[in-house]
Amino acid sequence: MTSPSITDFIPFPSLSFYKEELVGETSNYVHLRSAAEQRSPMEVLRLLSEEVLDTAERIDKIIGHDDDLRALWQRYLQVRSSSDVPICANAFLTKSI
């Protein structure tokens, strides 16, 4: 099993993508990866989301039954999920490619 990297979470590169996309900015991680992989930006954003979820699942497996570590991990997830990311960012995840 490959160890997950906390850099998969900090910073999650697409958090400001919706703002950048709205103003037409293309010099960001999503667009650079899009060009490199010859995929649409929405496809890259979906892949990034899947990668983050996969990493979270690997972290859960590694933590196992360590209650102290699990508490820290859950607290981290709560902080990340309560960050100031507007709901409209989800529109990009559900938009048809």
Side-chain angles (χ1 to χ4, degrees), residues 10-87:
I10 307 172
F12 183 59
S14 62
L15 287 177
S16 64
F17 174 71
Y18 79 98
K19 293 178 196 174
E20 295 163 350
E21 190 72 6
L22 289 173
V23 297
E25 185 178 322
T26 58
S27 52
N28 54 52
Y29 179 82
V30 172
H31 280 277
L32 293 173
R33 183 170 165 179
S34 171
E37 296 179 3
Q38 297 182 339
R39 300 176 186 265
S40 74
M42 294 307 133
E43 200 173 0
V44 169
L45 188 59
R46 285 180 195 214
L47 287 171
L48 282 170
S49 299
E50 290 172 12
E51 290 166 8
V52 168
L53 292 173
D54 289 345
T55 300
E57 288 175 10
R58 289 195 319 268
I59 290 171
D60 278 337
K61 288 178 184 175
I62 290 170
I63 288 172
H65 298 290
D66 184 324
D67 292 336
D68 293 335
L69 194 50
R70 179 157 306 283
L72 287 170
W73 174 237
Q74 291 302 315
R75 200 166 60 190
Y76 172 77
L77 290 176
Q78 288 173 355
V79 168
R80 293 296 293 170
S81 67
S82 66
S83 66
D84 191 22
V85 179
I87 294 171

